[in-house]
Structures are given as structure tokens and as C-alpha cells.
Amino acid sequence: METKVIQIRDIEKQKDDIEEAAELIRRGQVVAFPTETVYGLGGDGLNETAVAQIYEAKGRPSDNPLILHVNSMAMVRELVTLIPEKAQTVMNRFWPGPLTVILPKSEKVPKKTTGGLQSVAIRMPEHKLALALIEKAGVPIAAPSANTSGRPSPTRAEHVKEDLSGKIPMILDGGKVFVGVESTIVDFTSEIPVILRPGHISKKQLENVLGCEVLMNQGQTDKVPKAPGMKYTHYAPKANMILVLGDDNQKVVDKINEETDKEHQEGRIVGIIATDENMEFYHGDYVFSLGSRQSMDEVMLHLYGTIRQFDHTNVDVIYSEGFVGMEQEEAIMNRLMKSCGHEVIKV
Ligand code: TXA
Ligand code: MG
């Protein structure tokens, strides 16, 4: 299949291009498009054939449910049987934006979309192109991240091409995203809200708005993870990746250099995921920075692109700095831990 890539520079002037993508979605096909978090692979979330194509293109296990992207509260009401007050409060505050809510699903939502669950994940994205596409399609758009299952999520159209070229009919290239990690997922099907996946919107922000406790359940402790997606290997570069963690920055840099020297003795090529503050001190062969340690927003934005960048080098192993004791570290550490398959050195 030929994948058509359309660059969208001006949503107003390119209404016909967006209409072409919306038409594909209405016909039950799939289209990759940008959201503020990461690129999504979208299809009509109420059409089982479209949903099957999403799973197929990504190579995703079909018990891993999809998020429905909406552009209005009216659309949400069609998809659920109940909107608890707390859910309404966070939707009012954070939508459109990088927040997904889990609510009890209505009859309208096919089981295929929710991986057999009785609940459904819903989000109103902030990206103008995503909102325009949903509006034109006139249906909730089911969209997982537009990567091959297990690979880092795409933060530019180039990344989508790397993974899905030839497998989907269209990519809308709307440039770079502006958040960089996937939405915070909050489950409102029980009395106390539970974060199933940390993201740009932090636990603290949610608690401030709700005025109540919010629990954190990233899925590792349960036998049956609440967000099924959390049990799979994720966000992994092609080379083996090891995370080095510690409170003392100098010790982390020293440890990474010690490991790098050992790898060099064995003839291995070493990549480093660094930050601006430490970059110049490393002995690695390829040293890429996530940005300044002062800005977790910057680090989030660059995380997946940096991990993918190593796939274009010949590194055998990657050592990464970690982030301890900062607000929003939960979102970044959650991704880094998965990227390295929980292979961690503590100093
Ligand atoms: O920012 C995002 O959320 C991006 C963009 C494209 O919107 N989408 C995204 O989708 O990250 P995906 O499919 O890669 O991740 C969705 C996660 C999975 O871990 C899935 O298991 C979980 O949401 N999920 C979906 N429906 C659920 C449900 N009903 N109950 C619990 N977890 C659910
Ligand atoms: Mg994903």
C-alpha cells in the first residue's frame, strides 16, 4: 500500500486535505495525525473493521484497548452511561488537553474498541489539526500512538513513516508535537480516581483541582494490570538500554563513564542519553541531550525522539540518566523504566 503524506501548514487553507483524511476515516480506513502529546493512528472508533485495521497496522495485541478522541461533550455523552462529578471537574479544567478519562461505556462502543472491557477511555486533544479532523469525520476517533507496538511513540511525522510506511493509506504531517509523552490516564470507574498512566498532567495538579486524594497505579503491582497496555514491553530502542539512577548527579555521571570505559574495552559502541548540564563530561561515542534538567517539559518533549535517534547510529548499548525528586518525574521515569526493560543500576 502506498502511504500518502500530506503536510498541513494552514488548517483553514487546507480544508480539502483534512476532508480527504476525514473521508478515509468515515469509510472505515485509518489515518495518522498529530495530537499535542504524540502522533495517533486514527480510525472510526465505532466501526469494528476500522478498529481491526488499527490493531493490524501497529501489530498490537487486540486485548489492549484504544482511546476515543472527541471534540465535544455531546460526543462524550453518547459513549458513556455515566459522568461522575469528579470526572466532569477534571474534564472542565484540563480539556482540551493531555488527559484521558476512563468511564463506563455505553452500548454504542464496540467491545473491540475497549479490548472487551466495560469501560472506555476518552480524551479531547488540544491540537487544532486533531480537533478539525474529528469535527470533519463526525465520529469519535480511536487512536493509539502511531508507532509499531513496542517502539517509542512518534513525536514527528518522520517517526510515523519509519514504523508505518506502506501499512496505512495516509499520514497528516502537522509538524512536531508540543507535549511529547502520552496523556495522563485517570480511571473514574471507582470512587477514588486512579492514575493508570502518568503524563504531563501530574498527580499533584489533579489533586489540587479535585480537592481529594488521587491514587497512582502504574500497573506493575497488579497481576491483572488495570491499563492493559502497561503490561507490554514499550518504548524500546533497538540497542540494549540501561538506566543509571541516583540522587547525586556527579556519582551518576561517574558511574556511566565507568560503565562506558568497560564497554569500550569489550569493543562495544556506547550511546548516552544525557542532559545539557552533564553532556560534555561523558566518554560515550554518541551523546544526545534531552535538554536541561531544569525543565521537565523540555525533557518530556525530547524523550522519544532521542531514543529513536539511536536507531540511526551503530551503538551496541545505551546508558541513560534518570530523574529523581522532581515534579512530573513520574511521567518520564515511567517511560524510561519501560524503555530499558527495568534494567537499572543504582548509585
Ligand atoms: O496521548 C495519548 O493518549 C495518545 C494520543 C494519540 O492521544 N494515545 C495513546 O494511546 O497513548 P495508546 O493506545 O498508545 O495508549 C492507550 C492506553 C493503553 O495503555 C491502554 O491499555 C489504556 O490506554 N486503556 C485504553 N482503554 C482503557 C480502559 N477502558 N481501561 C483501562 N485502560 C485503558
Ligand atoms: Mg502507545
Side-chain angles (χ1 to χ4, degrees), residues 26-38:
R26 282 196 301 268
R27 291 212 321 255
Q29 308 233 38
V30 297
V31 172
F33 65 98
T35 79
E36 74 278 25
T37 56
V38 299

Side-chain angles (χ1 to χ4, degrees), residues 16 22 37-38 44-45 61 91 97 109 138 145 161 188 200 220 274 282 320 322 347:
D16 290 351
T37 56
V38 299
D44 179 350
M91 288 188 265
V109 182
S145 48
K161 276 187 236 169
F188 286 97
H200 189 264
Q220 290 96 328
Y282 287 116
S320 177
V347 294

Side-chain angles (χ1 to χ4, degrees), residues 11-23:
I11 293 174
E12 286 305 310
K13 286 187 188 145
Q14 290 181 265
K15 284 205 166 112
D16 290 351
D17 291 329
I18 300 168
E19 176 52 34
E20 191 182 334
E23 172 67 19

Side-chain angles (χ1 to χ4, degrees), residues 19-62:
E19 176 52 34
E20 191 182 334
E23 172 67 19
L24 280 176
I25 288 182
R26 282 196 301 268
R27 291 212 321 255
Q29 308 233 38
V30 297
V31 172
F33 65 98
T35 79
E36 74 278 25
T37 56
V38 299
Y39 271 72
L41 177 61
D44 179 350
L46 305 182
N47 176 338
E48 296 203 353
T49 320
V51 168
Q53 280 183 58
I54 293 174
Y55 285 114
E56 164 86 28
K58 274 186 67 96
R60 176 173 176 136
S62 61

Side-chain angles (χ1 to χ4, degrees), residues 52-80:
Q53 280 183 58
I54 293 174
Y55 285 114
E56 164 86 28
K58 274 186 67 96
R60 176 173 176 136
S62 61
D63 67 343
N64 191 358
L66 306 175
I67 297 173
L68 291 179
H69 295 67
V70 300
N71 71 335
S72 70
M73 277 310 296
M75 211 181 241
V76 176
R77 283 189 285 269
E78 299 268 293
L79 305 172
V80 304

Side-chain angles (χ1 to χ4, degrees), residues 231-305:
K231 72 178 181 236
Y232 298 105
T233 315
H234 256 90
Y235 319 129
K238 287 172 183 159
N240 189 32
M241 180 169 150
I242 298 157
L243 188 58
V244 180
L245 284 183
D247 298 323
D248 184 331
N249 183 56
Q250 189 58 50
K251 280 192 183 150
V252 169
V253 174
D254 290 345
K255 183 69 189 173
I256 290 179
N257 278 334
E258 185 191 316
E259 293 297 318
T260 301
D261 295 343
K262 277 196 247 165
E263 299 283 358
H264 280 161
Q265 277 164 22
E266 306 278 320
R268 279 191 282 270
I269 300 169
V270 181
I272 313 284
I273 298 180
T275 44
D276 289 353
E277 288 81 354
N278 298 332
M279 216 178 151
E280 62 181 305
F281 304 115
Y282 287 116
H283 305 170
D285 303 284
Y286 294 87
V287 183
F288 298 146
S289 175
L290 297 173
S292 168
R293 296 190 80 80
Q294 304 303 317
S295 166
M296 287 299 103
D297 282 354
E298 209 181 308
V299 169
M300 269 189 230
L301 188 55
H302 296 138
L303 184 64
Y304 290 138

